Amino acid sequence: MSASGGTKAIVAALAANLAIAAAKFVAFLFSGSSSMLAESVHSLADSGNQGLLLLGGKKARREATPQHPFGYGRERYIYAFLVSIVLFSVGGMFAIYEGYEKIHDPHPIEAWYWPVGVLVFAIIAESFSFRTAIKESNLVRGGLSWKEFVRRAKAPELPVVLLEDLGALVGLILALGGVGLALLTGDGVWDGIGTLCIGVLLIAIAIVLAAETKSLLLGEAAGLDDMKKIEDAVVDGVTVTRLIHMRTLHLGPEELLVAAKIAVRHDETATEVARAIDAAEERIRAAVPIARVIYLEPDIYSESAAAAGPDPAATPGGSGH
């Protein structure tokens, strides 16, 4: 995913959410609607989340240091995980609390035209933000479905903004439904029920985001397409005859570590093997430009060793003693 595409979607969402948060809060002051208060806090939380994503992107661009030799690319994952925490606590839990209070002590909505007008404005503004996120995502998701894109994307910004905008639109519809039913029936309980539904929605989205960003934080391998490109690029059929095994790890959305054991001919000199490794690294970087850190270990391929299978003690997290 291009960083510029993610930044464009974040800025569009930030501008929309700041304007919407101000309008919702004004509507709450005039109407007393708990749905409007929950939605204004939701928009403020979303604005803070977009600020976190921008901050994470800036910090991730720092140069590597001796203490952090692989750089700071994972900063983007950390700040995306913080987004899920903010969405869960500030957005979801606050809405559930406010909805419970409104159901427990209902009161009619005053100046109905404020919440209705603001919600319609917010739906239009969020639709433009959501459209920008969809447009930028379509440039990079290829043939993946939306579900696959959210689950497989190595860059967290677009999936986060997509889910936030989707949650915001659905939340606005729920708020409009709660306010509308409260106005039609004269019973403020419906406003509280709409607020509760918003809280449940935000918590569900926060859990999905937390699960996906947790996987990225733990360290994910390259995608299947990139794995195939690397495998094809390693072997030249002359000096490098086979890929024995390989592991990959995303150090950040646009930085990949590749570690592999490759089979070389037994009669090659050390100089020839070194040149073959250099050439293999160049082919890998040409095939997968984000492969920035590459470690290739030469070995002599053994049919018997391959038949015995991998050594679990040599596997990270294995049963080595």
Side-chain angles (χ1 to χ4, degrees):
M1 188 199 91
S2 67
S4 60
T7 301
K8 184 177 180 180
I10 295 170
V11 171
L14 178 59
N17 278 314
L18 286 174
I20 292 169
K24 287 175 180 175
F25 192 71
V26 171
F28 160 70
L29 292 177
F30 279 94
S31 67
S33 167
S34 67
S35 291
M36 293 308 303
L37 178 58
E39 275 296 309
S40 63
V41 172
H42 175 194
S43 294
L44 281 175
D46 281 353
S47 300
N49 288 341
Q50 276 109 43
L52 285 173
L53 292 176
L54 291 172
L55 180 61
K58 181 179 180 180
K59 286 183 171 291
R61 290 192 290 270
R62 289 180 292 171
E63 295 293 331
T65 64
Q67 188 175 7
H68 297 92
F70 293 119
Y72 293 86
R74 288 195 182 183
E75 290 266 17
R76 289 165 68 179
Y77 301 152
I78 294 171
Y79 281 86
F81 189 77
L82 291 176
V83 165
S84 68
I85 296 174
V86 172
L87 196 62
F88 180 90
S89 57
V90 178
M93 295 305 294
F94 177 83
I96 287 179
Y97 169 78
E98 187 64 25
Y100 170 80
E101 288 293 316
K102 186 61 179 284
I103 293 173
H104 182 69
D105 183 22
H107 54 271
I109 295 175
E110 302 172 359
W112 63 268
Y113 42 85
W114 275 102
V116 172
V118 167
L119 286 171
V120 171
F121 161 73
I123 289 173
I124 294 172
E126 284 288 0
S127 296
F128 278 106
S129 174
F130 194 36
R131 178 177 176 272
T132 301
I134 290 174
K135 182 180 178 182
E136 296 299 325
S137 298
N138 280 333
L139 296 176
V140 296
R141 74 183 179 101
L144 296 176
S145 67
W146 287 109
K147 180 180 178 181
E148 291 173 330
F149 175 67
V150 170
R151 297 199 64 179
R152 297 185 185 180
K154 305 304 181 184
E157 290 84 0
L158 281 177
V160 168
V161 174
L162 276 170
L163 288 176
E164 278 191 348
D165 284 351
L166 176 61
L169 280 172
V170 176
L172 288 167
I173 293 170
L174 290 172
L176 189 59
V179 170
L181 287 171
L183 291 173
L184 289 173
T185 63
D187 188 352
V189 168
W190 287 107
D191 189 25
I193 292 174
T195 308
L196 276 178
C197 291
I198 292 169
V200 172
L201 170 69
L202 295 180
I203 287 174
I205 292 175
I207 290 172
V208 172
L209 285 177
E212 295 305 317
T213 51
K214 174 191 171 186
S215 178
L216 291 169
L217 277 171
L218 289 174
E220 288 191 357
L224 295 177
D225 290 343
D226 285 344
M227 291 282 282
K228 183 65 168 59
K229 291 177 182 177
I230 294 171
E231 290 171 359
D232 292 341
V234 167
V235 179
D236 64 0
V238 180
T239 302
V240 181
T241 60
R242 185 187 296 265
L243 174 65
I244 299 175
H245 65 73
M246 176 177 67
R247 293 192 182 100
T248 60
L249 179 68
H250 268 275
L251 302 173
E254 285 101 28
E255 189 167 14
L256 185 67
L257 181 148
V258 179
K261 179 172 285 191
I262 57 176
V264 297
R265 299 186 184 279
H266 70 278
D267 56 350
E268 298 287 350
T269 65
T271 301
E272 290 169 332
V273 170
R275 288 173 179 169
I277 289 174
D278 291 341
E281 290 178 354
E282 290 181 6
R283 293 194 299 271
I284 291 172
R285 290 193 175 96
V288 182
I290 66 170
R292 308 273 176 84
V293 183
I294 303 174
Y295 298 109
L296 300 180
E297 178 186 352
D299 201 352
I300 305 300
Y301 180 72
S302 168
E303 292 285 354
S304 59
D311 178 10
T315 303
S319 56
H321 298 289

